[in-house]
Amino acid sequence: MRLSYLIALLFLLPACQSIPQQEESSASSPNIILILADDMGYSDLGCMGAEIETPNLDALADNGMLFTHAYNTSRCCPTRASLLTGLYQHDAGYGHMDSDLGSPSYQGRFKEGVVSMPELLQQADYQTYMLGKWHLGHEVENTPLNRGFDRMYGIPKGGGLYFYPCIGRDRQVYLDKKQVFPDSNWYSTDAFTDYAIQFIGEADQERPFFMYLAYVAPHFPLQARAEDIQKYRGKYEKGYESIRQNRFEKQQQLGIISREVQLSPADFDRWESLENQSDEELKMAVYAAQVDRMDQNIGRLMESLKKLNLFENTLVLFLSDNGATDVELNTTPGAEFGSRNSWSAYGKNWANVSNTPYRKYKAMTHEGGIITPMIAHWPKGIQQRGSIQSTLVHVLDVLPTFLEVADVEYPSEKDNIALKPLEGKSFLPTLKNEKTAFDRVLLWEHEGNQAVRKGDWKLVRLHNETWELYDLKNDPIELRNVVDDYPEKVKELEQLYKDWAKAKGVRAWPIQS
């Protein structure tokens, strides 16, 4: 048991003792909560090496399982589509984002023959709730209520909204089918959690529920509550190199990264050369505040489960939709970083820190863009609590895992339309501490960035660049390109990618209409 969990337990124990407990729910199937962070880097949680305070997520990891090699698709819409369908994003219709690029694999809407996670769980009498950022089509036929959710509160169009109204995007907030107009104290991370707690409290305790809670945090714009920002002022004044090195050393101490692994070369400016150190320090303080506030709210949600005596038989899964973003952005010069009037991002320098120890960023298919920590917590179901798992999993695997947990079979058709077969594999055996050996091939494509992983070998390239080959067993950070040393392996993996791309309808980027 980790020290962080013991500390968290000491703080939580008095509160837990004072909470009146209800009788345990008679629903035999576990409740399921899927929590998705937006643009959070690999090392941004305390349990992953960060100095950011995330005691609630750390406690879930300490009493659950921490997966250190969970993969996403490198971008928000594609990951969400894959997550909710168990299909590669191109098969779901989201090869790019939620706009129609004139091709079935890039239509930005669910394809015919695609069924969603909540639609399937409803078959097992699950109550289904969606909170937060949807970003999979805001037309009536594609909104959460028409894709299997009984209730929703959030933003159909996408993210970018912390304080209301949103200054930089056209974003409306909806409660079910009705647009609502929050007051000036509204903050999305808090509000999504408020309604999550309300929905659970109003649920039929005789039936299980599935909840998809998709926070905007910590995606730009940099906007946070003042008290959270103040908590982190001064913590980043030593600069990128110091924070990154401290995170890397903590990762090695925690067993996240092998002590034999070398940290990737820095991809940021020398701190001493900057003229705006104060602004840079503030950017990361705001970003940390956004992560911190998300963790606070996850703690509130867990406490609500305890009050209703639902905590023990609820499977909670937390992960990020992609790696940290290298976007350099400030469309509101002169506005204070972090305020409701600011629209800025923290940029490549801090993103390189967030993705410690990996290279590259969101939308790219090197590890920094596609790898995420994943926390699974389920007291009644997880056998080896506090374990760190290096088992390879992918967002494709979440739906088949939830179906197995809920004892739901994936159908061959829906409404007399044949369904696309699932691509993912259930990782429930891993949660139950059963030996598993996945001999699998995983593939990626986004905006011409491509990759294929088979076993420990990974072939990857940036758009319009040449292939790179890495032996991830001996070089997990992708530092030693051995493409010239293994021509037959390159040929094998490239053919796998070509066959997959053809089958999925992958188009050359940029797509020409």
Side-chain angles (χ1 to χ4, degrees), residues 162-163 187 221-226 229 282-283 285-287 290 332 335-344:
Y162 289 100
F163 295 105
Y187 189 76
L222 296 173
Q223 294 182 359
R225 292 200 181 277
I229 298 173
L282 177 55
K283 286 180 182 178
V286 178
Y287 179 90
Q290 294 176 159
T332 53
E336 180 184 1
F337 287 126
S339 72
R340 66 175 66 238
N341 298 317
S342 173
W343 190 275
S344 59

Side-chain angles (χ1 to χ4, degrees), residues 42-115:
Y42 186 78
S43 71
D44 283 331
L45 300 178
C47 61
M48 293 300 296
E51 68 297 324
I52 302 173
E53 296 181 24
T54 57
N56 296 293
L57 283 166
D58 296 348
L60 292 179
D62 287 337
N63 197 40
M65 275 189 177
L66 177 61
F67 289 78
T68 59
H69 287 75
Y71 281 120
N72 52 64
T73 72
S74 87
R75 191 79 179 272
C76 48
C77 291
T79 287
R80 290 157 207 272
S82 186
L83 186 69
L84 292 179
T85 65
L87 305 173
Y88 279 108
Q89 65 270 28
H90 304 84
D91 269 347
Y94 294 84
H96 188 239
M97 299 290 281
D98 61 343
S99 56
D100 190 348
L101 301 184
S103 168
S105 295
Y106 297 83
Q107 65 188 31
R109 303 294 181 268
F110 287 106
K111 284 184 179 180
E112 189 176 76
V114 172
V115 64

Side-chain angles (χ1 to χ4, degrees), residues 156-169:
K157 276 194 174 182
L161 178 61
Y162 289 100
F163 295 105
Y164 188 88
C166 184
I167 66 165
R169 295 286 189 275

Side-chain angles (χ1 to χ4, degrees), residues 216-463:
V216 173
H219 194 294
F220 62 84
L222 296 173
Q223 294 182 359
R225 292 200 181 277
E227 62 268 28
D228 294 328
I229 298 173
Q230 187 58 39
K231 183 177 178 179
Y232 290 94
R233 289 310 310 264
K235 288 186 180 289
Y236 298 102
E237 59 188 9
K238 291 185 179 180
Y240 317 121
E241 181 64 36
S242 174
I243 301 299
R244 187 169 183 253
Q245 187 62 40
N246 287 341
R247 288 189 177 193
F248 181 62
E249 291 174 2
K250 184 178 175 182
Q251 287 175 333
Q252 292 182 315
Q253 293 168 4
L254 292 171
I256 304 298
I257 300 294
S258 167
R259 293 188 180 274
E260 306 302 316
V261 168
Q262 177 184 349
L263 180 60
S264 60
D267 191 23
F268 45 70
D269 301 322
R270 290 182 60 254
W271 188 255
E272 295 75 17
S273 70
L274 300 178
E275 296 180 358
N276 59 340
Q277 290 181 6
S278 179
D279 286 348
E280 286 297 295
E281 180 265 331
L282 177 55
K283 286 180 182 178
M284 191 60 194
V286 178
Y287 179 90
Q290 294 176 159
V291 175
D292 187 308
R293 175 62 63 161
M294 177 174 64
D295 181 80
Q296 292 176 47
N297 276 278
I298 291 171
R300 287 205 299 131
L301 181 61
M302 295 304 105
E303 282 303 305
S304 74
L305 295 176
K306 293 174 183 176
K307 289 179 181 179
L308 296 171
N309 206 24
L310 301 174
F311 186 71
E312 294 293 313
N313 198 30
T314 297
L315 168 58
V316 179
L317 200 69
F318 172 90
L319 69 165
S320 178
D321 63 351
N322 45 251
T325 179
D326 63 343
V327 167
E328 306 282 352
L329 179 68
N330 185 2
T331 63
T332 53
E336 180 184 1
F337 287 126
S339 72
R340 66 175 66 238
N341 298 317
S342 173
W343 190 275
S344 59
Y346 71 167
K348 176 176 67 67
N349 293 345
W350 283 120
N352 189 214
V353 175
S354 285
N355 284 339
T356 303
Y358 295 108
R359 299 170 53 223
K360 304 302 182 184
Y361 310 97
K362 170 185 177 179
M364 304 175 192
T365 52
H366 289 73
E367 296 291 276
I370 61 175
I371 198 168
T372 174
M374 185 177 76
I375 296 171
H377 182 273
W378 181 17
K380 278 196 172 182
I382 292 178
Q383 303 301 314
Q384 193 177 0
R385 301 183 192 179
S387 64
I388 296 176
Q389 295 287 337
S390 60
T391 303
L392 295 184
V393 294
H394 190 284
V395 292
L396 291 166
D397 303 332
V398 174
L399 185 144
T401 301
F402 287 175
L403 294 187
E404 187 173 5
V405 165
D407 195 24
V408 175
E409 287 192 16
Y410 186 76
S412 60
E413 63 176 38
K414 181 177 183 289
D415 299 330
N416 295 319
I417 298 174
L419 297 180
K420 297 178 182 298
L422 286 177
E423 302 267 14
K425 300 177 182 291
S426 171
F427 52 81
L428 181 59
T430 303
L431 299 181
K432 292 186 173 295
N433 200 30
E434 299 171 2
K435 290 188 179 297
T436 55
F438 289 162
D439 181 18
R440 66 191 308 189
V441 176
L442 294 171
L443 302 106
W444 292 265
E445 187 277 334
H446 184 72
E447 294 185 346
N449 300 309
Q450 305 164 356
V452 53
R453 175 169 180 165
K454 182 181 181 183
D456 292 318
W457 289 102
K458 182 180 175 186
L459 193 67
V460 59
R461 65 178 174 188
L462 296 172
H463 180 225

